[in-house]
Amino acid sequence: MQDLSSLYAFLVVGSLLSITPGPNMIYVISRSITQGRRAGLTSLGGVIVGYLFYMFGAAFGITAFFKTQLHAAQILSACGAVYMGWLGWNTIRPGGRSPLEIRDHLPREHTGKLFAMGATTSLLNPKLALIFLTLLPQFIDETQGEMLQQSLFYGGLLIFMFAFVNAGMALFSGSMAAFLARKPGWLLAQRVVMGVTLLTLSAEMALQALG
């Protein structure tokens, strides 16, 4: 049974990460805007293959790491602090852009290639491995045992949130991009709020690592 406070905290952090711009989201949005909603959803199907690959890899890796390293939680918290700080800076830095600011259109592709390209984009995205390896340990309770099951539970929940947000992007990115193109202030506000929140999360992880 997962602790409810940890579960709620994970849902908040996971929701934030799911709306953070990244290669997968940008690819899905680009396909949806260029080729339509069906192409965006097909591309997302391939992206999910990468999610599953990194989730299982991280779950088994985290379990082994906790068993062999005395200060595993502190080490992974420190790595997480650095990565979340990097995400926050890249979101808020001057010259950054929202994933809905699509400037280049992609050529039309058939269904099989859309799926394969989505999977390739996801599998070649090392940020996914960092997310799973640094985030999941923050919510694993060693006293409960069954660390592999806990990793898979939180990993599966994270994949669901990522997929849900990206599916929404695939379905509505065209209309959202058109709307936000007329509201540049909203794009800036979205980036600032997201960046500040990620930097705050980075600071909290750094304190956990020092503690």
Side-chain angles (χ1 to χ4, degrees), residues 43-71:
S43 300
L44 175 58
V47 166
I48 291 174
V49 171
Y51 290 161
L52 292 170
F53 174 83
Y54 284 115
M55 180 194 73
F56 283 109
F60 286 102
I62 289 168
T63 300
F65 193 60
F66 266 106
K67 289 181 178 178
T68 57
Q69 297 295 326
L70 180 62
H71 300 291

Side-chain angles (χ1 to χ4, degrees), residues 22-31 42-51 53-54 106 113-129 166:
N24 294 334
M25 179 184 289
I26 292 173
Y27 179 70
V28 170
I29 291 175
S30 300
R31 282 299 175 190
T42 301
S43 300
L44 175 58
V47 166
I48 291 174
V49 171
Y51 290 161
F53 174 83
Y54 284 115
L106 302 174
K113 190 169 184 179
L114 288 171
F115 186 91
M117 291 175 68
T120 302
T121 300
S122 188
L123 288 168
L124 295 180
N125 180 11
K127 296 177 185 178
L128 278 180
N166 279 288

Side-chain angles (χ1 to χ4, degrees), residues 29 33 97-102 169 172-174 176-178 180 187:
I29 291 175
I33 291 176
R97 58 184 286 193
S98 166
L100 289 169
E101 296 178 89
I102 302 299
M169 289 294 186
F172 304 111
S173 56
M176 284 191 294
L180 291 174
L187 285 172

